Amino acid sequence: MRLSNKFKINKNVILIFIILILLIAIVVNPAVYITSCLNGLVVWATVVLPALLPFMFFTKTLTELGVADILATKFKLFPKIFKVPSVAIYVFVLSILSGYPVGAKIVADLYENGSITKEEAYKITTFTSNSGPMFILGSVGIGMLASKNLGIIILISHILGALINGLLYRNHKEKNIEINKKIILKNNSSIGELMWNTVHSVLIIGGFIALFFVIIEILNNLNIFYPISSLFSKIFNLDINIFNSIFNGIFEITRGCLDISKLGLNEFFTGVLCTFIISFGGLATTMQALVFLKKFDMKMSFFLKQKITHAIFASAISALLLLIF
């Protein structure tokens, strides 16, 4: 018990120290970080908001209307393959269509209305935390990489990686799970309440994007990643900027993919690296998802672990596809 308390105190001290460094950096050079924050908000307003707001509103409405249960009665394959309720097909399809963090939001909604248990929610998140075609094909494939074909390969790899990831965690068990009471809350929300719920969720996402744009700028200006990037560069005999881009992507996927696209790498390395970054999702996306998943106490360690395995599976598939095609 004493060791646990000591660890918590030390962890808080470290967190306070990091926050103070970030605040000092902002105070010393406020103009740079105001611009970074604005850049994040511009990305949110011009890319994320138009794509996510209608999807989040309509998926929430469909969940309230019980469409998830209707689909669950038609598809019996998912319970056999992933050991989850049939409703998981609904989450999987909409997570692919909508992108981050809609899958997490729907899982949280289904748990909240009693359609799934905590253990089932944990397993469903392993293959429904996905990026969407608008981002992968539009923003990354065509917009950043100027290659629709490469975007298609990344998308296919990302989806197949998610399915294999779900198989890996199909036997996952959660201790002390509650009994699902099936408290269905459909048709209880008005249009106004649904819209407020949607706007609130999208604003949270925008806040995280802007915050992580600032954090990445600070870390780059302080050369925090330089020692690690330099070490990996020497070990693998590769350009240090590759590792800087990967570390940026670990924090925020849009920034990471954009940096990768500017390196002038061949199609193979570009595709594999972007697939890894997109499938991992970045810490910004992780924090967005955990805001919703806290409804069933999702452990951050488990979420990050399953995102890492998803990224490994997806990047391996993309490497294979790029070698073949």
Side-chain angles (χ1 to χ4, degrees):
M1 182 64 72
R2 290 179 180 177
L3 287 175
S4 177
N5 290 335
K6 186 177 180 180
F7 175 74
K8 287 180 180 179
I9 293 172
N10 291 338
K11 188 171 68 172
N12 288 338
V13 170
I14 293 171
L15 183 60
I16 291 169
F17 180 71
I18 292 172
I19 291 173
L20 286 174
I21 290 176
L22 295 174
L23 286 172
I24 291 170
I26 293 171
V27 170
V28 169
N29 200 350
V32 172
Y33 302 116
I34 288 173
T35 301
S36 297
C37 186
L38 286 173
N39 288 339
L41 290 173
V42 168
V43 169
W44 170 74
T46 59
V47 179
V48 178
L49 179 63
L52 267 191
L53 192 144
F55 270 110
M56 293 191 81
F57 175 79
F58 290 121
T59 54
K60 175 67 175 174
T61 305
L62 289 174
T63 304
E64 290 280 321
L65 294 173
V67 172
D69 288 340
I70 295 172
L71 281 176
T73 62
K74 304 295 183 182
F75 295 90
K76 302 297 183 182
L77 194 60
F78 269 47
K80 295 178 182 178
I81 298 176
F82 300 107
K83 295 185 178 180
V84 293
S86 297
V87 71
I89 183 67
Y90 169 75
V91 189
F92 177 68
V93 171
L94 290 182
S95 72
I96 292 171
L97 292 175
S98 308
Y100 296 124
V102 171
K105 180 69 167 60
I106 299 172
V107 171
D109 289 340
L110 291 173
Y111 171 78
E112 193 173 41
N113 72 20
S115 295
I116 56 176
T117 65
K118 179 178 178 178
E119 184 176 284
E120 291 164 349
Y122 262 71
K123 289 196 281 188
I124 292 172
T125 57
T126 63
F127 59 93
T128 61
S129 178
N130 300 315
S131 185
M134 289 188 70
F135 178 74
I136 296 176
L137 289 177
S139 300
V140 177
I142 297 173
M144 298 180 192
L145 306 179
S147 174
K148 182 180 178 181
N149 290 336
L150 191 53
I152 291 172
I153 288 176
I154 294 173
L155 179 62
I156 292 172
S157 303
H158 179 69
I159 294 171
L160 292 178
L163 292 171
I164 296 173
N165 206 46
L167 290 174
L168 178 66
Y169 294 97
R170 67 196 296 265
N171 294 316
H172 175 77
K173 299 292 182 183
E174 274 299 305
K175 296 180 180 179
N176 302 320
I177 62 169
E178 76 294 341
I179 296 174
N180 188 12
K181 297 180 180 179
K182 282 284 180 183
I183 306 173
I184 307 301
L185 302 176
K186 301 180 186 70
N187 301 318
N188 285 347
S189 299
S190 66
I191 293 294
E193 289 170 330
L194 289 171
M195 180 53 73
W196 168 246
N197 182 284
T198 302
V199 171
H200 181 255
S201 299
V202 174
L203 285 173
I204 289 172
I205 293 167
F208 275 115
I209 291 173
L211 176 63
F212 273 85
F213 263 65
V214 173
I215 291 173
I216 289 171
E217 192 70 33
I218 293 173
L219 294 176
N220 286 332
N221 288 342
L222 295 177
N223 289 320
I224 299 296
F225 297 138
Y226 180 79
I228 304 175
S229 297
S230 180
L231 177 62
F232 280 120
S233 177
K234 291 176 181 178
I235 292 173
F236 295 101
N237 194 28
L238 293 171
D239 185 355
I240 191 172
N241 290 319
I242 293 175
F243 298 101
N244 287 333
S245 300
I246 292 171
F247 287 127
N248 284 342
I250 287 173
F251 277 84
E252 209 285 318
I253 57 174
T254 306
R255 175 67 183 267
C257 290
L258 185 61
D259 289 349
I260 291 292
S261 71
K262 295 178 179 178
L263 295 178
L265 300 173
N266 62 41
E267 191 174 77
F268 178 84
F269 281 109
T270 299
V272 171
L273 290 175
C274 284
T275 301
F276 184 90
I277 289 170
I278 290 169
S279 298
F280 175 67
L283 294 178
T285 301
T286 295
M287 299 309 295
Q288 294 166 25
L290 290 175
V291 168
F292 304 118
L293 300 180
K294 69 179 181 179
K295 291 179 181 178
F296 53 87
D297 299 321
M298 166 64 75
K299 299 184 187 75
M300 185 175 183
S301 58
F302 176 83
F303 190 82
L304 286 174
K305 181 177 74 171
Q306 62 92 2
K307 289 308 298 174
I308 290 171
T309 53
H310 180 189
I312 292 171
F313 289 138
S315 54
I317 293 169
S318 69
L320 181 62
L321 292 176
L322 286 165
L323 287 173
I324 296 173
F325 299 103

PDB file of all heavy atoms in Angstrom, residues 32-33 36 39 211-223 248 255:
ATOM      1  N   VAL A  32       4.267  31.696 -31.198  1.00  0.00           N
ATOM      2  CA  VAL A  32       4.432  30.423 -31.911  1.00  0.00           C
ATOM      3  C   VAL A  32       3.337  29.436 -31.534  1.00  0.00           C
ATOM      4  O   VAL A  32       2.745  28.770 -32.397  1.00  0.00           O
ATOM      5  CB  VAL A  32       5.820  29.811 -31.603  1.00  0.00           C
ATOM      6  CG1 VAL A  32       5.924  28.390 -32.170  1.00  0.00           C
ATOM      7  CG2 VAL A  32       6.916  30.679 -32.173  1.00  0.00           C
ATOM      8  N   TYR A  33       3.033  29.371 -30.251  1.00  0.00           N
ATOM      9  CA  TYR A  33       2.081  28.357 -29.787  1.00  0.00           C
ATOM     10  C   TYR A  33       0.622  28.786 -29.979  1.00  0.00           C
ATOM     11  O   TYR A  33      -0.266  27.945 -30.077  1.00  0.00           O
ATOM     12  CB  TYR A  33       2.389  27.995 -28.337  1.00  0.00           C
ATOM     13  CG  TYR A  33       3.808  27.489 -28.223  1.00  0.00           C
ATOM     14  CD1 TYR A  33       4.762  28.174 -27.487  1.00  0.00           C
ATOM     15  CD2 TYR A  33       4.209  26.346 -28.925  1.00  0.00           C
ATOM     16  CE1 TYR A  33       6.069  27.726 -27.425  1.00  0.00           C
ATOM     17  CE2 TYR A  33       5.512  25.895 -28.871  1.00  0.00           C
ATOM     18  CZ  TYR A  33       6.442  26.587 -28.122  1.00  0.00           C
ATOM     19  OH  TYR A  33       7.733  26.143 -28.078  1.00  0.00           O
ATOM     20  N   SER A  36       0.169  27.598 -33.406  1.00  0.00           N
ATOM     21  CA  SER A  36      -0.012  26.141 -33.412  1.00  0.00           C
ATOM     22  C   SER A  36      -1.432  25.759 -33.007  1.00  0.00           C
ATOM     23  O   SER A  36      -2.051  24.890 -33.613  1.00  0.00           O
ATOM     24  CB  SER A  36       0.984  25.480 -32.453  1.00  0.00           C
ATOM     25  OG  SER A  36       2.296  25.701 -32.860  1.00  0.00           O
ATOM     26  N   ASN A  39      -3.694  26.559 -35.806  1.00  0.00           N
ATOM     27  CA  ASN A  39      -3.560  25.560 -36.868  1.00  0.00           C
ATOM     28  C   ASN A  39      -4.361  24.307 -36.540  1.00  0.00           C
ATOM     29  O   ASN A  39      -5.010  23.716 -37.411  1.00  0.00           O
ATOM     30  CB  ASN A  39      -2.085  25.196 -37.069  1.00  0.00           C
ATOM     31  CG  ASN A  39      -1.294  26.307 -37.726  1.00  0.00           C
ATOM     32  OD1 ASN A  39      -1.869  27.181 -38.382  1.00  0.00           O
ATOM     33  ND2 ASN A  39       0.011  26.306 -37.548  1.00  0.00           N
ATOM     34  N   LEU A 211      -4.985  21.163 -28.610  1.00  0.00           N
ATOM     35  CA  LEU A 211      -4.034  20.972 -27.513  1.00  0.00           C
ATOM     36  C   LEU A 211      -2.817  20.176 -27.965  1.00  0.00           C
ATOM     37  O   LEU A 211      -1.670  20.545 -27.674  1.00  0.00           O
ATOM     38  CB  LEU A 211      -4.727  20.255 -26.350  1.00  0.00           C
ATOM     39  CG  LEU A 211      -3.843  19.886 -25.152  1.00  0.00           C
ATOM     40  CD1 LEU A 211      -3.289  21.146 -24.493  1.00  0.00           C
ATOM     41  CD2 LEU A 211      -4.628  19.053 -24.143  1.00  0.00           C
ATOM     42  N   PHE A 212      -3.050  19.100 -28.718  1.00  0.00           N
ATOM     43  CA  PHE A 212      -1.933  18.259 -29.131  1.00  0.00           C
ATOM     44  C   PHE A 212      -1.096  18.910 -30.224  1.00  0.00           C
ATOM     45  O   PHE A 212       0.096  18.615 -30.335  1.00  0.00           O
ATOM     46  CB  PHE A 212      -2.434  16.878 -29.557  1.00  0.00           C
ATOM     47  CG  PHE A 212      -2.539  15.920 -28.407  1.00  0.00           C
ATOM     48  CD1 PHE A 212      -3.671  15.881 -27.609  1.00  0.00           C
ATOM     49  CD2 PHE A 212      -1.493  15.070 -28.097  1.00  0.00           C
ATOM     50  CE1 PHE A 212      -3.768  15.016 -26.534  1.00  0.00           C
ATOM     51  CE2 PHE A 212      -1.576  14.196 -27.036  1.00  0.00           C
ATOM     52  CZ  PHE A 212      -2.713  14.169 -26.241  1.00  0.00           C
ATOM     53  N   PHE A 213      -1.670  19.787 -31.018  1.00  0.00           N
ATOM     54  CA  PHE A 213      -0.865  20.558 -31.970  1.00  0.00           C
ATOM     55  C   PHE A 213       0.134  21.434 -31.213  1.00  0.00           C
ATOM     56  O   PHE A 213       1.296  21.563 -31.614  1.00  0.00           O
ATOM     57  CB  PHE A 213      -1.764  21.430 -32.851  1.00  0.00           C
ATOM     58  CG  PHE A 213      -2.082  20.827 -34.194  1.00  0.00           C
ATOM     59  CD1 PHE A 213      -2.822  19.656 -34.289  1.00  0.00           C
ATOM     60  CD2 PHE A 213      -1.634  21.409 -35.360  1.00  0.00           C
ATOM     61  CE1 PHE A 213      -3.113  19.087 -35.514  1.00  0.00           C
ATOM     62  CE2 PHE A 213      -1.913  20.852 -36.599  1.00  0.00           C
ATOM     63  CZ  PHE A 213      -2.661  19.675 -36.685  1.00  0.00           C
ATOM     64  N   VAL A 214      -0.309  22.023 -30.112  1.00  0.00           N
ATOM     65  CA  VAL A 214       0.574  22.852 -29.288  1.00  0.00           C
ATOM     66  C   VAL A 214       1.651  21.994 -28.626  1.00  0.00           C
ATOM     67  O   VAL A 214       2.839  22.348 -28.630  1.00  0.00           O
ATOM     68  CB  VAL A 214      -0.234  23.611 -28.211  1.00  0.00           C
ATOM     69  CG1 VAL A 214       0.705  24.331 -27.242  1.00  0.00           C
ATOM     70  CG2 VAL A 214      -1.185  24.604 -28.850  1.00  0.00           C
ATOM     71  N   ILE A 215       1.253  20.855 -28.066  1.00  0.00           N
ATOM     72  CA  ILE A 215       2.210  19.970 -27.385  1.00  0.00           C
ATOM     73  C   ILE A 215       3.292  19.492 -28.349  1.00  0.00           C
ATOM     74  O   ILE A 215       4.484  19.489 -28.023  1.00  0.00           O
ATOM     75  CB  ILE A 215       1.484  18.770 -26.753  1.00  0.00           C
ATOM     76  CG1 ILE A 215       0.610  19.240 -25.581  1.00  0.00           C
ATOM     77  CG2 ILE A 215       2.485  17.714 -26.275  1.00  0.00           C
ATOM     78  CD1 ILE A 215      -0.270  18.162 -24.989  1.00  0.00           C
ATOM     79  N   ILE A 216       2.883  19.081 -29.557  1.00  0.00           N
ATOM     80  CA  ILE A 216       3.851  18.616 -30.559  1.00  0.00           C
ATOM     81  C   ILE A 216       4.826  19.727 -30.922  1.00  0.00           C
ATOM     82  O   ILE A 216       6.039  19.495 -31.033  1.00  0.00           O
ATOM     83  CB  ILE A 216       3.118  18.115 -31.829  1.00  0.00           C
ATOM     84  CG1 ILE A 216       2.390  16.803 -31.537  1.00  0.00           C
ATOM     85  CG2 ILE A 216       4.112  17.902 -32.974  1.00  0.00           C
ATOM     86  CD1 ILE A 216       1.480  16.350 -32.657  1.00  0.00           C
ATOM     87  N   GLU A 217       4.320  20.962 -31.080  1.00  0.00           N
ATOM     88  CA  GLU A 217       5.185  22.096 -31.421  1.00  0.00           C
ATOM     89  C   GLU A 217       6.208  22.342 -30.316  1.00  0.00           C
ATOM     90  O   GLU A 217       7.394  22.589 -30.584  1.00  0.00           O
ATOM     91  CB  GLU A 217       4.334  23.345 -31.635  1.00  0.00           C
ATOM     92  CG  GLU A 217       5.069  24.510 -32.264  1.00  0.00           C
ATOM     93  CD  GLU A 217       5.417  24.264 -33.721  1.00  0.00           C
ATOM     94  OE1 GLU A 217       4.640  23.578 -34.415  1.00  0.00           O
ATOM     95  OE2 GLU A 217       6.472  24.757 -34.149  1.00  0.00           O
ATOM     96  N   ILE A 218       5.761  22.249 -29.070  1.00  0.00           N
ATOM     97  CA  ILE A 218       6.675  22.454 -27.934  1.00  0.00           C
ATOM     98  C   ILE A 218       7.739  21.364 -27.901  1.00  0.00           C
ATOM     99  O   ILE A 218       8.943  21.649 -27.752  1.00  0.00           O
ATOM    100  CB  ILE A 218       5.895  22.477 -26.597  1.00  0.00           C
ATOM    101  CG1 ILE A 218       4.987  23.707 -26.522  1.00  0.00           C
ATOM    102  CG2 ILE A 218       6.863  22.469 -25.411  1.00  0.00           C
ATOM    103  CD1 ILE A 218       4.060  23.707 -25.324  1.00  0.00           C
ATOM    104  N   LEU A 219       7.318  20.110 -28.045  1.00  0.00           N
ATOM    105  CA  LEU A 219       8.261  18.991 -28.006  1.00  0.00           C
ATOM    106  C   LEU A 219       9.290  19.095 -29.126  1.00  0.00           C
ATOM    107  O   LEU A 219      10.478  18.802 -28.923  1.00  0.00           O
ATOM    108  CB  LEU A 219       7.498  17.667 -28.120  1.00  0.00           C
ATOM    109  CG  LEU A 219       6.576  17.315 -26.951  1.00  0.00           C
ATOM    110  CD1 LEU A 219       5.809  16.030 -27.244  1.00  0.00           C
ATOM    111  CD2 LEU A 219       7.374  17.154 -25.659  1.00  0.00           C
ATOM    112  N   ASN A 220       8.855  19.518 -30.313  1.00  0.00           N
ATOM    113  CA  ASN A 220       9.786  19.678 -31.434  1.00  0.00           C
ATOM    114  C   ASN A 220      10.752  20.838 -31.207  1.00  0.00           C
ATOM    115  O   ASN A 220      11.945  20.730 -31.490  1.00  0.00           O
ATOM    116  CB  ASN A 220       9.019  19.896 -32.741  1.00  0.00           C
ATOM    117  CG  ASN A 220       8.371  18.614 -33.245  1.00  0.00           C
ATOM    118  OD1 ASN A 220       8.857  17.520 -32.981  1.00  0.00           O
ATOM    119  ND2 ASN A 220       7.279  18.740 -33.970  1.00  0.00           N
ATOM    120  N   ASN A 221      10.237  21.956 -30.675  1.00  0.00           N
ATOM    121  CA  ASN A 221      11.096  23.122 -30.430  1.00  0.00           C
ATOM    122  C   ASN A 221      12.122  22.856 -29.329  1.00  0.00           C
ATOM    123  O   ASN A 221      13.231  23.411 -29.354  1.00  0.00           O
ATOM    124  CB  ASN A 221      10.248  24.343 -30.062  1.00  0.00           C
ATOM    125  CG  ASN A 221       9.485  24.890 -31.249  1.00  0.00           C
ATOM    126  OD1 ASN A 221       9.802  24.605 -32.399  1.00  0.00           O
ATOM    127  ND2 ASN A 221       8.453  25.664 -30.984  1.00  0.00           N
ATOM    128  N   LEU A 222      11.752  22.015 -28.374  1.00  0.00           N
ATOM    129  CA  LEU A 222      12.674  21.660 -27.290  1.00  0.00           C
ATOM    130  C   LEU A 222      13.560  20.464 -27.642  1.00  0.00           C
ATOM    131  O   LEU A 222      14.377  20.032 -26.831  1.00  0.00           O
ATOM    132  CB  LEU A 222      11.881  21.347 -26.010  1.00  0.00           C
ATOM    133  CG  LEU A 222      11.096  22.502 -25.385  1.00  0.00           C
ATOM    134  CD1 LEU A 222      10.308  22.019 -24.172  1.00  0.00           C
ATOM    135  CD2 LEU A 222      12.033  23.642 -24.983  1.00  0.00           C
ATOM    136  N   ASN A 223      13.364  19.932 -28.862  1.00  0.00           N
ATOM    137  CA  ASN A 223      14.142  18.773 -29.331  1.00  0.00           C
ATOM    138  C   ASN A 223      14.049  17.576 -28.376  1.00  0.00           C
ATOM    139  O   ASN A 223      15.036  16.860 -28.159  1.00  0.00           O
ATOM    140  CB  ASN A 223      15.616  19.153 -29.529  1.00  0.00           C
ATOM    141  CG  ASN A 223      15.815  20.055 -30.737  1.00  0.00           C
ATOM    142  OD1 ASN A 223      15.189  19.858 -31.775  1.00  0.00           O
ATOM    143  ND2 ASN A 223      16.674  21.063 -30.584  1.00  0.00           N
ATOM    144  N   ASN A 248       5.894  12.311 -34.010  1.00  0.00           N
ATOM    145  CA  ASN A 248       4.801  13.286 -34.154  1.00  0.00           C
ATOM    146  C   ASN A 248       3.480  12.566 -34.395  1.00  0.00           C
ATOM    147  O   ASN A 248       2.439  12.952 -33.857  1.00  0.00           O
ATOM    148  CB  ASN A 248       5.096  14.235 -35.314  1.00  0.00           C
ATOM    149  CG  ASN A 248       6.151  15.277 -34.971  1.00  0.00           C
ATOM    150  OD1 ASN A 248       6.432  15.519 -33.798  1.00  0.00           O
ATOM    151  ND2 ASN A 248       6.746  15.885 -35.975  1.00  0.00           N
ATOM    152  N   ARG A 255      -0.765  15.236 -38.189  1.00  0.00           N
ATOM    153  CA  ARG A 255       0.580  15.820 -38.243  1.00  0.00           C
ATOM    154  C   ARG A 255       1.604  14.763 -38.672  1.00  0.00           C
ATOM    155  O   ARG A 255       2.492  15.027 -39.489  1.00  0.00           O
ATOM    156  CB  ARG A 255       0.938  16.395 -36.875  1.00  0.00           C
ATOM    157  CG  ARG A 255       2.357  16.934 -36.757  1.00  0.00           C
ATOM    158  CD  ARG A 255       2.581  18.161 -37.619  1.00  0.00           C
ATOM    159  NE  ARG A 255       3.965  18.595 -37.528  1.00  0.00           N
ATOM    160  CZ  ARG A 255       4.408  19.508 -36.661  1.00  0.00           C
ATOM    161  NH1 ARG A 255       3.558  20.076 -35.807  1.00  0.00           N
ATOM    162  NH2 ARG A 255       5.667  19.864 -36.630  1.00  0.00           N
TER     163      ARG A 255
END
